[in-house]
Amino acid sequence: MKLESKIPEGPLAEKWARQKFSLKLVNPANKRKYDIIVVGTGLAGASAAASLAELGYNVKAFCFQDSPRRAHSIAAQGGINAAKNYQNDGDSVFRLFYDTIKGGDYRAREGNVYRLAEVSVNIIDQCVAQGVPFAREYGGLLANRSFGGSQVSRTFYARGQTGQQLLLGAYSALSRQVSTGKVKLYPRTEMLDLVVEGGKARGIITRNLVTGKIESHSGHAVLLCTGGYGNVFYLSTNAMGSNATAAWRAHKKGAVFGNPCFTQIHPTCIPVSGHYQSKLTLMSESLRNDGRVWAPKSKEDAQKIQKGQLRANDLSEDARDYFLERRYPSFGNLVPRDVASRNAKYVCDEGRGVSKTGLAVYLDFADAIKRDGKKTIEAKYGNLFEMYEKITGENPYETPMMIYPAVHYTMGGLWVDYNLMTSIPGLYALGEANFSDHGANRLGASALMQGLADGYFVIPYTVGDYLANIGPADKIPVDAPAFKEAEKKVHEQIDRLLAIKGERPVDDLHKELGHIMWEYCGMARTAEGLQIAREKIKALKKEFWSNVKVLGDSQEMNQALEQASRVADFIELGALMVEDALNRNESCGGHFREEYQTPDGEALRDDANYAYVAAWEYQGDDQPELLNKEMLEFENVKLTQRSYK
């Protein structure tokens, strides 16, 4: 397959302006003749659906939740980046671009990343106009704080609830369009297949999660805004309903998958507490502005803490190792997430971890409280501290938080070109569902930025170019053979799952997959471990399709059936992640192969052989996928070994 990124020619700062001018337009009177399907109603989906409807298109928006307000975007805590330079501390569009490219370990396109930085300034104006209650300074100006991988303060925030407030802003815009009739909303409805006919995306097949009814929906274009696939690891900070089914089914219909092994492990999460835990809880990266990360210097002290014989506050300053500040004096506790996570793992591997499991380090606010006062810290992070205390039973104002890395985000996703179109004409992927902007590691506060950039400021331009080229008549009805065939296959898979009547619950099989992925394809990877994972996943897939236990019927609300369908896709996606990690014989960002590291334990890239996007093409059930390569070109930044020291 020939992959065309469609990045326009010309200077970096002019590419997006040139592209917008070159794109074909649909005149206002004709927009009402086009139907657009939007799957997912988080920040990317809600903003896209609202913007397209505002322009005049007819939009159908689908979400498996009971309300768009329950999309996982609501869980984002810390903030959203924008190159406003309100602090007058040296920020600029180019610096945000550079920090993002460097943070992603030089595995993202320059053109896409610069556009993201460029439109970031518009996002803040848009959200303020919607009434998003960003934090403000005493004089009324918008406040900023710092996030990892940056030496400027460019993150706008609403305490620890930024995702919630931004989603409510997008939801209000969406609701307005629902009330006008330009958006038809389908809650509790899950996409189970993509319909492709004549080489173009024609619509989707859905299942009503309340009644079980299978339905077809036709459109001129389909936008997937369905988030990431972190739940392939079972335990993650994602909502338990978050899944990869829409993206994976599109992949099996011909959409190539980009960099699937690029997954992000977030350094500040509440540690695993037991075998029966079903998800993990994020503690915002913003906490590293004021919290200091440390572990005991000696294994003996760590062991006493693990046994409950010693408490964190019992250790004197000279018995503590502030390891991020020691190793990275320039960035300190605000190094990028992949760097902070690996260092926490190193400390715990040395036997200096805390908590009963030995898999945790401390995040300490004592110095910040002493410096700024408890009221100031409470104003910044009060809801996060409250959440931590409810979950752990410990007061973080009085004793350090215990944190450990956990799966949080996926940089990989469906491959898209500069216009956000996948390798299937008419099918677009926005936000975390695509691979495009973060390379091998996403910087904190950039996910919300990308989702809203794609939905508010990119897709309204680019989708019009495709629609203008195909014309209003290029749409097929839902009784066309392509839809009937897709419906038939969906029914067949559902019937197959219900007919197995095995012994193992879906959750048990999902948990086993998660253990395999975390152990062999998590924070650290080796060729030997990945080969073991490959065989284990093959065996697990066989076990799933012969012994999964799915009770109930298809014509009713059946959460076991929903989960089984999603886990079947996770198993296949997990196998592809392992293959991608095995193929990439280098370390970069969140992909850390232990065989490829610098003498001091940092990621060692191989730019000569791996400066490309790995775009995997589906070849059929149980067949090896075909690797396509999109070579990355760097004209504005110099490829160097990342250093945050």
Side-chain angles (χ1 to χ4, degrees):
M1 179 180 291
K2 185 180 180 182
L3 300 175
E4 295 182 12
S5 63
K6 296 183 181 175
I7 296 175
E9 298 294 326
L12 185 65
E14 297 177 12
K15 288 183 185 294
W16 179 227
R18 290 187 179 204
Q19 183 77 342
K20 286 191 288 186
F21 182 74
S22 69
L23 294 171
K24 288 188 176 182
L25 302 176
V26 178
N27 82 53
N30 284 340
K31 286 188 174 80
R32 64 178 69 100
K33 299 176 184 177
Y34 291 96
D35 300 324
I36 299 175
I37 291 170
V38 178
V39 185
T41 55
L43 285 182
S47 60
S51 300
L52 293 169
E54 185 79 45
L55 286 171
Y57 296 110
N58 305 309
V59 178
K60 288 183 176 182
F62 298 82
C63 63
F64 65 77
Q65 299 92 346
D66 56 357
S67 165
R69 289 178 298 169
R70 293 188 182 274
H72 186 59
S73 298
I74 205 168
Q77 297 171 355
I80 177 171
N81 288 331
K84 286 286 199 181
N85 194 31
Y86 282 169
Q87 303 301 314
N88 197 27
D89 57 359
D91 200 11
S92 65
V93 168
F94 191 87
R95 188 175 292 278
L96 175 52
F97 154 74
Y98 177 76
D99 286 347
T100 306
I101 283 279
K102 177 185 175 184
D105 219 350
Y106 306 96
R107 290 294 176 263
R109 296 184 191 131
E110 283 189 339
N112 285 65
V113 176
Y114 190 89
R115 177 177 64 188
L116 177 64
E118 184 181 349
V119 303
S120 70
V121 297
N122 300 330
I123 296 170
I124 303 304
D125 297 339
Q126 168 85 359
C127 295
V128 169
Q130 289 175 334
V132 173
F134 286 123
R136 294 179 180 267
E137 304 286 3
Y138 178 77
L141 300 177
L142 293 175
N144 295 110
R145 57 189 177 198
S146 298
F147 259 60
S150 170
Q151 291 181 306
V152 298
S153 296
R154 63 163 68 101
T155 304
F156 295 78
Y157 62 97
R159 294 187 78 191
Q161 308 168 348
T162 314
Q164 180 183 32
Q165 299 305 325
L166 290 173
L167 185 61
L168 289 173
Y171 175 70
S172 67
L174 176 64
S175 295
R176 178 173 174 270
Q177 297 305 319
V178 171
S179 69
T180 66
K182 292 304 292 182
V183 174
K184 185 169 184 183
L185 197 59
Y186 293 83
R188 303 294 289 140
T189 305
E190 183 168 25
M191 171 182 161
L192 292 182
D193 207 356
L194 176 74
V195 178
V196 178
E197 190 269 343
K200 299 174 185 175
R202 301 296 191 173
I204 61 173
I205 308 300
T206 64
R207 180 174 181 268
N208 184 309
L209 299 182
V210 177
T211 66
K213 185 178 180 182
I214 304 298
E215 293 182 305
S216 292
H217 299 271
S218 176
H220 291 90
V222 177
L223 279 53
L224 298 186
C225 312
T226 50
Y229 48 92
N231 276 349
V232 72
F233 290 89
Y234 184 72
L235 285 179
S236 81
T237 64
N238 289 183
M240 290 184 67
S242 297
N243 65 84
T245 289
W248 189 250
R249 303 289 169 90
H251 172 60
K252 294 176 81 168
K253 283 296 181 77
V256 295
F257 210 102
N259 299 332
C261 79
F262 286 174
T263 55
Q264 179 164 89
I265 314 295
H266 197 295
T268 52
C269 301
I270 297 177
V272 175
S273 60
H275 179 69
Y276 296 103
Q277 195 164 346
S278 56
K279 80 175 298 292
L280 296 172
T281 303
L282 173 72
M283 286 285 104
S284 169
E285 180 168 320
S286 62
L287 295 172
R288 287 195 274 144
N289 273 281
D290 291 299
R292 301 179 69 192
V293 180
W294 65 273
K297 284 184 178 178
S298 73
K299 294 180 183 178
E300 293 74 22
D301 284 342
Q303 288 169 358
K304 288 179 181 177
I305 290 172
Q306 292 168 21
K307 294 175 182 176
Q309 299 169 356
L310 200 64
R311 293 181 58 82
N313 291 336
D314 297 334
L315 264 65
S316 61
E317 278 293 307
D318 58 4
R320 302 179 179 191
D321 176 18
Y322 295 92
F323 54 90
L324 292 180
E325 297 173 25
R326 171 173 56 83
R327 293 197 65 187
Y328 308 97
S330 292
F331 283 75
N333 294 296
L334 285 173
V335 292
R337 292 173 175 178
D338 60 319
V339 177
S341 294
R342 275 197 296 276
N343 277 272
K345 181 179 185 298
Y346 292 154
V347 166
C348 293
D349 288 349
E350 290 171 1
R352 295 193 289 129
V354 296
S355 86
K356 293 178 182 178
T357 62
L359 295 176
V361 295
Y362 287 124
L363 183 62
D364 197 336
F365 294 87
D367 287 351
I369 292 171
K370 184 177 179 181
R371 180 186 67 239
D372 299 330
K374 182 180 176 181
K375 283 188 176 180
T376 300
I377 300 303
E378 189 174 6
K380 289 182 180 179
Y381 313 117
N383 65 309
L384 299 173
F385 279 40
E386 183 182 348
M387 188 190 311
Y388 181 87
E389 186 171 7
K390 281 186 176 180
I391 292 171
T392 66
E394 295 192 345
N395 184 348
Y397 293 105
E398 298 173 0
T399 187
M401 285 184 178
M402 284 192 287
I403 57 166
Y404 193 69
V407 174
H408 177 60
Y409 187 89
T410 52
M411 286 74 67
L414 293 177
W415 180 92
V416 292
D417 63 18
Y418 191 69
N419 294 330
L420 304 183
M421 189 186 287
T422 68
S423 55
I424 300 176
L427 176 68
Y428 295 80
L430 284 65
E432 193 180 354
N434 73 35
F435 88 99
S436 69
D437 292 354
H438 306 295
N441 174 65
R442 178 176 69 76
L443 292 185
S446 289
L448 305 184
M449 176 173 63
Q450 186 207 351
L452 292 179
D454 288 354
Y456 282 136
F457 298 108
V458 179
I459 199 66
Y461 286 95
T462 60
V463 77
D465 181 68
Y466 172 74
L467 297 175
N469 279 307
I470 66 169
D474 196 359
K475 180 188 173 191
I476 65 174
V478 294
D479 58 0
F483 278 97
K484 294 304 176 186
E485 180 63 24
E487 277 191 29
K488 180 184 174 187
K489 288 184 177 179
V490 166
H491 278 292
E492 286 173 353
Q493 182 175 25
I494 290 172
D495 292 343
R496 183 183 175 194
L497 286 167
L498 291 169
I500 295 170
K501 302 188 184 304
E503 298 296 325
R504 293 186 65 181
V506 180
D507 208 50
D508 188 44
L509 291 157
H510 191 184
K511 191 177 294 184
E512 183 177 338
L513 173 66
H515 284 312
I516 295 168
M517 297 302 296
W518 180 254
E519 183 69 25
Y520 301 109
C521 198
M523 266 195 289
R525 303 156 180 187
T526 65
E528 181 184 4
L530 291 165
Q531 286 163 356
I532 293 171
R534 175 196 277 165
E535 298 307 313
K536 284 181 174 287
I537 292 173
K538 280 182 184 176
L540 181 64
K541 183 177 181 180
K542 185 177 180 181
E543 170 73 358
F544 178 91
W545 286 106
S546 62
N547 200 25
V548 69
K549 183 177 186 178
V550 184
L551 301 175
D553 187 71
S554 63
Q555 299 301 309
E556 63 181 0
M557 181 184 286
N558 189 336
Q559 291 186 318
L561 178 59
E562 292 170 36
Q563 190 181 9
S565 178
R566 296 166 186 170
V567 172
D569 294 330
F570 277 142
I571 291 171
E572 294 179 356
L573 175 53
L576 182 59
M577 291 167 66
V578 168
E579 290 302 319
D580 189 40
L582 197 53
N583 170 75
R584 193 172 280 275
N585 293 315
E586 65 164 354
S587 291
C588 56
H591 169 64
F592 192 78
R593 286 280 296 272
E594 292 185 347
E595 308 97 318
Y596 308 101
Q597 55 182 300
T598 64
D600 55 353
E602 303 293 347
L604 183 62
R605 295 195 320 272
D606 180 355
D607 296 329
N609 295 302
Y610 294 97
Y612 63 73
V613 178
W616 295 89
E617 186 178 351
Y618 187 72
Q619 299 293 295
D621 289 345
D622 299 318
Q623 298 298 313
E625 298 218 4
L626 178 65
L627 173 62
N628 300 277
K629 299 177 182 179
E630 181 204 330
M631 305 310 296
L632 294 169
E633 298 178 5
F634 296 92
E635 301 171 351
N636 300 276
V637 298
K638 185 179 179 182
L639 295 179
T640 60
Q641 175 66 38
R642 276 194 317 170
S643 175
Y644 292 95
K645 297 190 175 184

